[in-house]
Amino acid sequence: MPLLVMKFGGTSVADLARIRNAAEKVRREVANGYDVIVIVSAMSGKTNELVGWVGETSPFYDAREYDAVVSSGENVTAGLMALTLQEMDVPARSWQGWQVPLRTSSAHGAARIEEIPRTNIDAKFAEGMKVAVVAGFQGISPEGRITTLGRGGSDTTAVAFAAAFEAERCDIYTDVDGVYTTDPRICDQARKLNRIAFEEMLELASLGAKVLQTRSVELAMRYNVRLRVLSSFEDQTEGAGTLVCAEEEIMESKVVSGVAYSRDEAEVTLVSVADRPGIAAAIFGPLADAGVNVDMIVQNISEEGRTDMTFSCPVDQVARAEKAMKDARDRGEINFHDLVADTAVCKISVVGIGMRSHAGVAARMFRALAEEGINIKVITTSEIKISVLVDRKYMELAVQALHDAFELEKVA
Ligand code: ASP
Ligand code: MG
């Protein structure tokens, strides 16, 4: 039997009517001849409520009990989904993570999936079960305790099952109808993409296009799981949603596929540090130890043995970065004249696998920003991405200007 994985996010199972709507989509795939593994999230808002209860009960909570509580939202939807399918005469049953068992590490609240043995579920398929409804987001540790995978983890559960069961595809049903060239709330010209490569999706996911948990895309890329993102509120037609797939499957690739942004960035400059071997390690070691997620780094040319070092990090980590740098100076490990932080910047990136084979993307990007009078503060590039830091007040304008410049509203 060909097998599909269908994952329903919180808004798609928010109440009984929506669970019925989702179950109807599952029933149709069974009628099309598929065995189906359904992965469900908790009803929308439920996980937040559970997390809140834990915090209220115990400020410095035992992470094992946190997982026992917050994993429960998915158990409710899994059972209700199985019951709804049974009411439709579809042979279905629910599985909690430990029953599969979905084995994870012991890192409570952020566990890694280690193994999904197929035996138990395969045996039930062999007996005539058509749908296995699995509670997402949860597993069991080597110690036999319930674990969770981190917020948004049901996406990762779904991809892991698709890989383990060699599913034809992993459909992620959500409240948006696909992945867009940029955020439609910022740019009304934004267009839904029919296909996007794993690498591009990874860049867009980590840059704030919050459709898929980043880890799920990494996993899909590693195991070549074709992922489709689509809305559970629209009727499925052929080619609905966005297919996230290997780049070999993408024919019509534009040079740039999307424009991403990250609103709350900061730019920190250490003014006049001694330019000597080991200085970068002396700066970025303590920053890493302090848990600062450094993103872009620029070192200026040096004059008379001194240079400026600039880096970017999330705005809410600036205080931590400043403390780490001053402590390092007090310990005599580094020396700088001043530390200047600009907390009103944002990062704008253009992403596309087509960049690998096309020159001139950077020039076109910089020209488009210049024409709007937007000053660029820091630039970084990778094989498939160019990112700039600009003043936050220009964020919307920059996204729109780049969307226009690369004609992303047009189909390739
Ligand atoms: N319910 C969990 C959360 O909100 C997991 C998920 O839905 O992906 O983080
Ligand atoms: Mg989600």
Side-chain angles (χ1 to χ4, degrees):
M1 275 286 182
L3 186 130
L4 270 189
V5 170
M6 301 172 75
K7 183 257 173 179
F8 294 95
T11 49
S12 306
V13 291
D15 55 37
L16 298 184
R18 289 194 180 172
I19 291 178
R20 259 194 306 275
N21 171 66
E24 178 56 33
K25 292 182 189 301
V26 177
R27 191 194 61 75
R28 249 178 275 163
E29 297 295 6
V30 172
N32 289 339
Y34 287 103
D35 280 348
V36 181
I37 297 179
V38 174
I39 309 294
V40 286
S41 284
M43 292 174 164
S44 64
K46 195 65 200 171
T47 309
N48 285 341
E49 182 182 54
L50 296 168
V51 169
W53 287 347
V54 170
E56 247 179 76
T57 308
S58 171
F60 300 102
Y61 53 77
D62 175 345
R64 292 163 299 191
E65 301 306 344
Y66 167 96
D67 279 350
V69 175
V70 303
S71 63
S72 66
E74 273 72 10
N75 297 344
V76 175
T77 15
L80 290 172
M81 175 65 81
L83 285 172
T84 309
L85 287 161
Q86 289 171 4
E87 287 299 317
M88 295 173 170
D89 290 326
V90 179
R93 70 156 271 191
S94 70
W95 305 77
Q96 296 182 8
W98 66 271
Q99 294 173 302
V100 174
L102 186 151
R103 297 189 202 284
T104 72
S105 68
S106 321
H108 285 276
R112 315 284 301 182
I113 298 177
E114 278 168 359
E115 196 195 357
I116 306 181
R118 293 175 52 155
T119 339
N120 289 340
I121 288 182
D122 274 345
K124 289 293 166 190
F125 277 133
E127 285 172 23
M129 175 188 70
K130 299 307 291 175
V131 182
V133 186
V134 180
F137 180 51
Q138 53 172 267
I140 183 167
S141 74
E143 294 77 31
R145 301 298 303 259
I146 304 299
T147 53
T148 63
L149 308 179
R151 299 305 304 272
S154 295
D155 293 337
T156 302
T157 308
V159 173
F161 270 89
F165 285 81
E166 295 163 89
E168 195 173 294
R169 209 176 53 236
C170 179
D171 285 344
I172 306 275
Y173 285 87
T174 176
D175 50 3
V176 295
D177 62 353
V179 179
Y180 278 71
T181 50
T182 195
D183 187 341
R185 288 168 304 183
I186 289 191
C187 176
D188 54 17
Q189 303 265 60
R191 177 175 57 83
K192 183 177 78 71
L193 294 159
N194 290 326
R195 292 181 178 222
I196 185 168
F198 291 125
E199 289 90 334
E200 294 172 324
M201 189 64 226
L202 262 186
E203 295 292 353
L204 294 175
S206 56
L207 290 170
K210 298 202 177 51
V211 215
L212 288 171
Q213 199 199 31
T214 307
R215 265 170 68 196
S216 72
V217 185
E218 282 165 0
L219 204 61
M221 182 156 98
R222 175 140 23 106
Y223 292 100
N224 201 10
V225 171
R226 302 165 86 230
L227 272 177
R228 195 162 61 135
V229 177
L230 68 176
S231 165
S232 62
F233 305 116
E234 277 164 32
D235 257 339
Q236 291 135 274
T237 46
E238 258 304 295
T242 300
L243 186 72
V244 188
C245 58
E247 57 179 282
E248 295 74 41
E249 283 196 70
I250 299 180
M251 302 292 177
E252 19 91 46
S253 175
K254 299 186 83 163
V255 181
V256 166
S257 302
V259 180
Y261 65 87
S262 168
R263 184 185 299 269
D264 297 311
E265 300 289 319
E267 179 192 16
V268 180
T269 300
L270 295 173
V271 181
S272 188
V273 297
D275 189 10
R276 55 165 174 84
I279 187 63
I283 290 171
F284 294 103
L287 287 171
D289 294 341
V292 177
N293 296 312
V294 172
D295 180 19
M296 307 163 122
I297 298 175
V298 182
Q299 183 183 342
N300 281 349
I301 56 159
S302 58
E303 265 176 71
E304 289 159 23
R306 301 195 78 84
T307 184
D308 294 343
M309 189 78 87
T310 297
F311 62 90
S312 72
C313 68
V315 150
D316 57 8
Q317 297 180 359
V318 169
R320 232 185 291 166
E322 277 183 66
K323 181 166 185 316
M325 292 297 87
K326 287 180 177 155
D327 289 350
R329 182 167 64 180
D330 291 346
R331 290 193 302 269
E333 295 165 10
I334 56 174
N335 186 313
F336 52 89
H337 288 176
D338 202 2
L339 185 153
V340 184
D342 182 350
T343 54
V345 296
C346 67
K347 181 170 74 171
I348 312 282
S349 308
V350 298
V351 173
I353 46 174
M355 268 183 224
R356 289 201 197 110
S357 46
H358 281 81
V361 178
R364 199 155 145 200
M365 176 179 192
F366 303 154
R367 205 178 313 119
L369 294 171
E371 278 164 13
E372 299 294 342
I374 301 172
N375 185 38
I376 300 170
K377 294 163 171 283
V378 179
I379 302 167
T380 57
T381 66
S382 77
E383 221 188 348
I384 65 160
K385 178 177 78 169
I386 304 170
S387 300
V388 296
L389 277 191
V390 302
D391 281 334
R392 192 175 303 134
K393 64 181 178 210
Y394 295 130
M395 192 180 85
E396 276 86 358
L397 182 61
V399 169
Q400 288 155 2
L402 294 172
H403 202 274
D404 284 349
F406 291 100
E407 302 185 327
L408 296 185
E409 73 286 357
K410 294 187 193 149
V411 186

